[in-house]
Amino acid sequence: TLITKDMIEYIEVPAVSVKKTTLTSSQNIIGKYSNYNTMIPQGSMFFTDTLITKDELPDSALMDVAEGEVLYNFPVTMNTSYQNSIMPGTKVDIYMKATNDDHVLMVGKLLENVNVLAVKTSDGLNVFEDTSERRTPAYIFFGVSPEIHILLRKASYLRNVKNISAEIIPVPTTESYSAEPGALKLSSTYLKSFIESNTALINEDQLPDVYDPSEEQ
């Protein structure tokens, strides 16, 4: 729960009841969130271990996903993240490298202006959290439309298709620093057609009926 100004009341208490962990200034409370697995009763005082910042929330990346979009976790390494140069709030383009049935190598930009919401380790820790620990990126997270989400999933699975070798690659851009950053958009209809021609999307109404023994009389 986000703590707002209207949730706070001021009372006088004996000095002996104020501990080192007691928060006595609204500047240290407003804008924070109640810690997960924690309940703050109405009328109680605030303490340092009951509040956390937005970045410390386990699912903070989900809070930045726009309405109508879904979260995509893109696997990266130290090399493909440009030695930890891809940070939350930056824009990346998604390139695709693939070899078709005729063994022709294709390289092109599939998506542009993808906004990075979070960068996390394989353990789910935020890479750029304020810590002395050096963390290795394993995933970058961004929000996309359901249609783009399916397209990216299909592109990532193409590497398992016979005679086709495929890879999708994030590339940082300077779009993050422009006065009016552009919106996410599809860059190559040819690559989109290539992906879709070598994969299929199964709709729910196309799935065979599932046998359920409990339905037998």
Side-chain angles (χ1 to χ4, degrees):
T1 302
L2 174 65
I3 309 300
T4 58
K5 183 179 180 180
D6 60 324
M7 296 179 181
I8 298 175
E9 295 180 358
Y10 297 88
I11 59 173
E12 292 185 0
V13 297
V16 68
S17 64
V18 180
K19 310 298 182 183
K20 289 184 178 180
T21 57
T22 305
L23 296 172
T24 59
S25 171
S26 62
Q27 292 181 350
N28 299 322
I29 300 172
I30 297 174
K32 297 286 186 66
Y33 291 79
S34 56
N35 205 345
Y36 46 94
N37 297 325
T38 297
M39 179 178 291
I40 304 176
Q42 185 175 358
S44 71
M45 293 188 286
F46 291 94
F47 299 92
T48 55
D49 58 350
T50 61
L51 298 180
I52 57 177
T53 64
K54 179 181 176 181
D55 290 339
E56 293 172 316
L57 291 171
D59 56 353
S60 58
L62 284 172
M63 301 179 67
D64 294 323
V65 179
E67 184 176 355
E69 293 186 345
V70 293
L71 196 65
Y72 187 90
N73 58 328
F74 193 110
V76 294
T77 63
M78 186 65 81
N79 286 336
T80 58
S81 67
Y82 291 79
Q83 306 303 315
N84 237 357
S85 296
I86 298 178
M87 300 179 289
T90 59
K91 293 287 186 80
V92 297
D93 293 337
I94 304 297
Y95 281 75
M96 179 177 173
K97 179 179 73 173
T99 303
N100 61 18
D101 289 334
D102 298 324
H103 304 289
V104 175
L105 178 64
M106 302 179 295
V107 179
K109 186 193 296 184
L110 180 62
L111 301 173
E112 61 182 76
N113 300 331
V114 179
N115 185 42
V116 177
L117 301 177
V119 183
K120 296 194 175 187
T121 67
S122 57
D123 296 323
L125 301 175
N126 289 309
V127 170
F128 295 98
E129 190 176 359
D130 187 12
T131 175
S132 59
E133 178 187 0
R134 180 175 174 80
R135 296 176 176 176
T136 302
Y139 297 95
I140 60 175
F141 292 78
F142 45 81
V144 292
S145 67
E147 293 78 16
I148 294 297
H149 177 266
I150 291 295
L151 186 67
L152 283 171
R153 292 292 177 195
K154 293 166 78 171
S156 67
Y157 297 146
L158 272 178
R159 64 181 181 273
N160 298 321
V161 178
K162 184 178 180 181
N163 297 329
I164 295 179
S165 173
E167 181 182 2
I168 45 179
I169 309 160
V171 179
T173 74
T174 59
E175 190 70 17
S176 311
Y177 311 104
S178 64
E180 297 181 2
L184 185 153
K185 65 179 182 180
L186 181 72
S187 297
S188 173
T189 55
Y190 178 82
L191 288 176
K192 177 177 182 290
S193 299
F194 174 78
I195 295 168
E196 293 180 337
S197 65
N198 287 283
T199 56
L201 177 62
I202 304 298
N203 296 320
E204 290 295 327
D205 55 2
Q206 294 176 312
L207 295 175
D209 293 333
V210 178
Y211 171 69
D212 186 352
S214 64
E215 295 180 353
E216 290 188 352
Q217 301 296 327

